[in-house]
Amino acid sequence: MPESHIRPATLADEERLAHLDRVTWSTLHAVMPRPEPPYPPLFDERHRPEDFLVAELDGHVAGYVRLVQMIPLPAHAHILTIQGFVVAEEARGRGLGRALIQAAVAEARARGARRLNLRVLGHNTPARKLYEAEGFTVEGVSPEEFFLDGAYVDDISMGRAL
């Protein structure tokens, strides 16, 4: 049985996480165009290593989840948002995604958050089922918010109390 481990990201993870982002890109979950060289750095002033939890499978980076405070005001500090969630294709179906979401919930609690929010595309059924199984509920739907691969796709807001 493969051994998994979830840990905070470090600066040394940048290239592996950026590569994972590029190879897992899909309109199932991405609204931005496919990344093309030259690739910008993954870590910058808005994407700090401390925002990421990294999943390793048998010692190799196999996924991540990113937690951010979307509205940088003291009055909104009690709400965190999952803004980035990736699992390598070869690691899917092994519980790594579930472990990352559970780690994000635990980390949000440890940071003092009272709520955890996220957005997911309506056609991303596997992610939606995972989020629902982990206690997230639909809090809003923006119909036909995105036009991807020739089809209009809903943007779904989900959240859960911590």
Side-chain angles (χ1 to χ4, degrees):
M1 184 76 163
E3 176 118 5
S4 65
H5 172 69
I6 297 176
R7 61 171 176 77
T10 67
L11 281 172
D13 292 314
E14 181 171 23
E15 185 48 44
R16 289 179 291 185
L17 295 178
H19 176 75
L20 187 60
D21 253 2
R22 293 190 297 267
V23 299
T24 59
W25 183 93
S26 163
T27 56
L28 183 63
H29 59 82
V31 298
M32 298 297 289
R34 180 182 296 278
E36 297 291 336
Y39 302 115
L42 179 69
F43 295 150
D44 59 26
E45 65 280 348
R46 290 185 49 236
H47 304 85
R48 305 166 311 159
E50 56 266 28
D51 297 332
F52 292 78
L53 295 175
V54 175
E56 293 181 338
L57 190 62
D58 288 336
H60 300 286
V61 171
Y64 74 78
V65 63
R66 179 172 167 253
L67 289 171
V68 298
Q69 183 183 348
M70 292 296 293
I71 301 173
L73 296 172
H76 200 263
H78 62 288
I79 297 177
L80 290 178
T81 300
I82 292 174
Q83 191 185 54
F85 174 52
V86 174
V87 175
E89 186 70 38
E90 65 274 10
R92 293 180 186 164
R94 299 181 183 187
L96 202 61
R98 183 175 308 280
L100 275 166
I101 295 301
Q102 290 171 351
V105 167
E107 178 67 16
R109 281 189 181 122
R111 293 185 192 179
R114 294 176 48 89
R115 291 196 48 74
L116 185 58
N117 297 330
L118 60 87
R119 290 170 59 186
V120 61
L121 294 173
H123 65 199
N124 193 344
T125 304
R128 290 177 61 191
K129 286 183 177 181
L130 172 61
Y131 300 143
E132 288 170 3
E134 291 303 318
F136 289 83
T137 59
V138 173
E139 297 180 339
V141 177
S142 297
E144 299 183 351
E145 186 76 5
F146 297 101
F147 187 72
L148 302 169
D149 282 343
Y152 290 97
V153 180
D154 295 349
D155 185 29
I156 300 175
S157 297
M158 299 181 80
R160 64 165 285 173
L162 299 174

